[in-house]
Coordinates of all heavy atoms in Angstrom, one line a residue:
L30 N -1.3 -34.2 -11.5 CA 0.1 -33.9 -11.3 C 0.9 -34.3 -12.5 O 0.7 -35.4 -13.1 CB 0.6 -34.8 -10.1 CG 2.1 -34.9 -9.9 CD1 2.7 -33.6 -9.5 CD2 2.5 -36.0 -8.9
T31 N 1.8 -33.4 -13.0 CA 2.8 -33.8 -14.0 C 4.1 -33.8 -13.3 O 4.7 -32.8 -13.1 CB 2.8 -32.7 -15.1 OG1 1.4 -32.7 -15.7 CG2 3.7 -33.1 -16.3
P32 N 4.6 -35.0 -13.0 CA 5.9 -35.1 -12.2 C 7.0 -34.7 -13.1 O 7.1 -34.9 -14.3 CB 6.0 -36.6 -11.9 CG 4.9 -37.3 -12.6 CD 4.0 -36.3 -13.2
R33 N 8.0 -34.1 -12.4 CA 9.2 -33.5 -13.0 C 10.4 -34.4 -12.7 O 10.3 -35.3 -11.8 CB 9.4 -32.1 -12.5 CG 8.2 -31.2 -12.9 CD 8.4 -29.7 -12.4 NE 8.8 -29.6 -11.0 CZ 7.9 -29.4 -10.1 NH1 6.6 -29.3 -10.3 NH2 8.3 -29.2 -8.8
V34 N 11.5 -34.1 -13.3 CA 12.7 -34.9 -13.1 C 13.1 -34.9 -11.6 O 13.7 -35.9 -11.2 CB 13.9 -34.4 -14.0 CG1 14.4 -33.1 -13.6 CG2 15.0 -35.4 -14.1
E35 N 12.9 -33.9 -10.8 CA 13.3 -33.9 -9.4 C 12.4 -34.8 -8.6 O 12.7 -35.0 -7.4 CB 13.3 -32.5 -8.8 CG 11.9 -31.8 -8.9 CD 11.8 -30.9 -10.1 OE1 12.4 -31.1 -11.1 OE2 11.0 -29.9 -10.0
H36 N 11.4 -35.5 -9.2 CA 10.5 -36.4 -8.5 C 10.9 -37.9 -8.7 O 10.2 -38.8 -8.3 CB 9.1 -36.2 -8.9 CG 8.6 -34.8 -8.6 ND1 7.9 -34.0 -9.5 CD2 8.8 -34.1 -7.4 CE1 7.6 -32.9 -8.9 NE2 8.1 -32.9 -7.7
I37 N 12.0 -38.1 -9.4 CA 12.4 -39.5 -9.7 C 13.0 -40.3 -8.5 O 13.5 -39.7 -7.6 CB 13.4 -39.6 -10.9 CG1 14.8 -39.0 -10.5 CG2 12.8 -39.0 -12.1 CD1 15.9 -39.3 -11.5
G38 N 12.9 -41.6 -8.6 CA 13.6 -42.5 -7.7 C 14.7 -43.1 -8.5 O 15.8 -42.6 -8.5
F39 N 14.4 -44.0 -9.4 CA 15.3 -44.5 -10.4 C 15.2 -43.6 -11.6 O 14.2 -42.9 -11.8 CB 15.0 -46.0 -10.8 CG 15.2 -46.9 -9.7 CD1 14.2 -47.6 -9.1 CD2 16.5 -47.2 -9.2 CE1 14.4 -48.5 -8.0 CE2 16.8 -48.1 -8.2 CZ 15.7 -48.7 -7.6
E40 N 16.2 -43.6 -12.4 CA 16.2 -42.7 -13.6 C 15.0 -42.9 -14.4 O 14.7 -44.0 -14.9 CB 17.5 -43.0 -14.4 CG 17.8 -41.9 -15.4 CD 18.0 -40.5 -14.8 OE1 18.7 -40.5 -13.7 OE2 17.6 -39.5 -15.4
G41 N 14.3 -41.8 -14.6 CA 13.1 -41.8 -15.4 C 11.8 -42.3 -14.8 O 10.7 -42.3 -15.4
I42 N 11.9 -42.9 -13.6 CA 10.7 -43.4 -12.9 C 10.4 -42.6 -11.6 O 11.3 -42.4 -10.8 CB 11.0 -44.9 -12.5 CG1 11.2 -45.7 -13.7 CG2 9.8 -45.4 -11.7 CD1 11.5 -47.2 -13.4
I43 N 9.2 -42.1 -11.5 CA 8.8 -41.3 -10.4 C 8.9 -42.1 -9.1 O 8.5 -43.3 -9.0 CB 7.4 -40.8 -10.6 CG1 7.3 -39.9 -11.9 CG2 6.9 -39.9 -9.4 CD1 8.4 -38.9 -12.1
H44 N 9.4 -41.5 -8.1 CA 9.6 -42.1 -6.8 C 8.2 -42.5 -6.2 O 7.3 -41.7 -6.2 CB 10.3 -41.2 -5.8 CG 10.8 -41.8 -4.6 ND1 10.0 -42.3 -3.6 CD2 12.1 -42.1 -4.2 CE1 10.7 -42.8 -2.6 NE2 12.0 -42.7 -3.0
G45 N 8.1 -43.7 -5.7 CA 6.9 -44.2 -5.1 C 6.4 -43.4 -3.9 O 5.2 -43.3 -3.7
G46 N 7.4 -42.8 -3.2 CA 7.0 -41.9 -2.1 C 6.2 -40.7 -2.6 O 5.4 -40.2 -1.8
V47 N 6.5 -40.2 -3.7 CA 5.8 -39.0 -4.3 C 4.4 -39.4 -4.6 O 3.4 -38.7 -4.2 CB 6.5 -38.4 -5.5 CG1 5.6 -37.4 -6.2 CG2 7.9 -37.9 -5.2
L48 N 4.2 -40.6 -5.2 CA 2.9 -41.1 -5.5 C 2.1 -41.3 -4.2 O 0.9 -41.0 -4.1 CB 2.9 -42.3 -6.3 CG 3.6 -42.2 -7.7 CD1 3.6 -43.5 -8.4 CD2 2.9 -41.1 -8.5
A49 N 2.8 -41.9 -3.2 CA 2.1 -42.2 -1.9 C 1.7 -40.8 -1.2 O 0.6 -40.8 -0.7 CB 3.1 -42.9 -1.0
T50 N 2.5 -39.8 -1.3 CA 2.2 -38.5 -0.7 C 0.9 -37.9 -1.4 O 0.0 -37.4 -0.7 CB 3.4 -37.6 -0.9 OG1 4.5 -38.1 -0.2 CG2 3.1 -36.2 -0.3
V51 N 0.9 -38.0 -2.7 CA -0.3 -37.4 -3.4 C -1.5 -38.2 -3.1 O -2.6 -37.7 -3.0 CB 0.0 -37.2 -4.9 CG1 -1.2 -36.7 -5.6 CG2 1.2 -36.3 -5.1
L52 N -1.4 -39.5 -3.1 CA -2.6 -40.4 -2.8 C -3.1 -40.1 -1.3 O -4.3 -40.0 -1.1 CB -2.2 -41.9 -2.9 CG -2.3 -42.4 -4.3 CD1 -1.5 -43.8 -4.3 CD2 -3.7 -42.6 -4.7
D53 N -2.1 -39.9 -0.4 CA -2.5 -39.6 1.0 C -3.3 -38.3 1.0 O -4.3 -38.1 1.7 CB -1.3 -39.5 1.9 CG -1.6 -39.1 3.3 OD1 -2.6 -39.6 3.9 OD2 -1.0 -38.1 3.8
E54 N -2.8 -37.3 0.3 CA -3.5 -36.0 0.3 C -4.9 -36.1 -0.3 O -5.8 -35.5 0.3 CB -2.7 -35.0 -0.6 CG -3.2 -33.6 -0.6 CD -2.8 -32.8 0.7 OE1 -2.1 -33.3 1.5 OE2 -3.3 -31.6 0.8
A55 N -5.1 -36.8 -1.4 CA -6.4 -36.9 -2.0 C -7.3 -37.7 -1.0 O -8.5 -37.3 -0.8 CB -6.3 -37.6 -3.3
M56 N -6.8 -38.8 -0.4 CA -7.6 -39.6 0.5 C -8.0 -38.8 1.7 O -9.1 -39.0 2.2 CB -7.0 -40.9 0.8 CG -6.9 -41.8 -0.5 SD -6.4 -43.6 -0.2 CE -4.8 -43.4 0.6
V57 N -7.0 -38.1 2.3 CA -7.4 -37.3 3.5 C -8.4 -36.3 3.2 O -9.3 -36.0 4.0 CB -6.1 -36.7 4.2 CG1 -5.6 -35.5 3.5 CG2 -6.4 -36.4 5.7
W58 N -8.4 -35.7 2.0 CA -9.4 -34.7 1.7 C -10.8 -35.4 1.5 O -11.8 -34.8 1.9 CB -9.0 -33.9 0.5 CG -8.2 -32.7 0.8 CD1 -6.9 -32.5 0.6 CD2 -8.7 -31.5 1.5 NE1 -6.5 -31.2 1.1 CE2 -7.6 -30.6 1.7 CE3 -9.9 -31.2 2.1 CZ2 -7.7 -29.4 2.3 CZ3 -10.0 -29.9 2.7 CH2 -8.9 -29.1 2.8
A59 N -10.8 -36.6 0.9 CA -12.0 -37.3 0.8 C -12.6 -37.6 2.1 O -13.8 -37.4 2.4 CB -11.8 -38.6 0.0
A60 N -11.8 -38.0 3.1 CA -12.3 -38.3 4.4 C -12.7 -37.0 5.1 O -13.8 -37.0 5.8 CB -11.2 -39.0 5.2
T61 N -11.9 -36.0 5.0 CA -12.3 -34.7 5.6 C -13.6 -34.2 5.1 O -14.4 -33.7 5.9 CB -11.1 -33.7 5.4 OG1 -10.0 -34.2 6.1 CG2 -11.5 -32.3 5.9
W62 N -13.8 -34.2 3.8 CA -15.0 -33.7 3.2 C -16.2 -34.5 3.7 O -17.2 -33.9 4.0 CB -14.9 -33.7 1.7 CG -16.1 -33.0 1.0 CD1 -17.2 -33.6 0.5 CD2 -16.3 -31.6 0.9 NE1 -18.1 -32.7 0.0 CE2 -17.5 -31.4 0.3 CE3 -15.5 -30.5 1.3 CZ2 -18.0 -30.2 0.0 CZ3 -16.0 -29.2 1.0 CH2 -17.2 -29.1 0.3
H63 N -16.0 -35.8 3.7 CA -17.1 -36.7 4.1 C -17.6 -36.3 5.5 O -18.8 -36.2 5.8 CB -16.7 -38.1 4.1 CG -17.7 -39.1 4.6 ND1 -18.7 -39.5 3.7 CD2 -18.0 -39.6 5.8 CE1 -19.6 -40.3 4.4 NE2 -19.1 -40.4 5.6
G64 N -16.7 -36.2 6.5 CA -17.1 -35.9 7.8 C -17.1 -34.4 8.2 O -17.5 -34.1 9.4
R65 N -16.8 -33.6 7.3 CA -16.7 -32.1 7.5 C -15.8 -31.8 8.7 O -16.0 -30.9 9.5 CB -18.1 -31.5 7.7 CG -19.0 -31.6 6.6 CD -18.5 -31.0 5.3 NE -19.6 -30.8 4.3 CZ -19.8 -31.7 3.3 NH1 -19.1 -32.8 3.2 NH2 -20.8 -31.4 2.4

């Protein structure tokens, strides 16, 4: 992911919720793949 300006929380810093969302997506896919 290359975060853009619309993904900020504080000026210049990416919102933690965006990072949490992407982590959740990657982890749910790891779990899904594991159990099919």
Side-chain angles (χ1 to χ4, degrees):
L30 167 68
T31 303
R33 300 180 306 267
V34 70
E35 60 266 26
H36 300 133
I37 66 169
F39 292 112
E40 196 60 39
I42 298 174
I43 302 311
H44 195 288
V47 172
L48 299 179
T50 299
V51 176
L52 278 164
D53 175 51
E54 184 79 2
M56 291 191 301
V57 77
W58 272 111
T61 295
W62 188 260
H63 178 83
R65 302 298 195 264

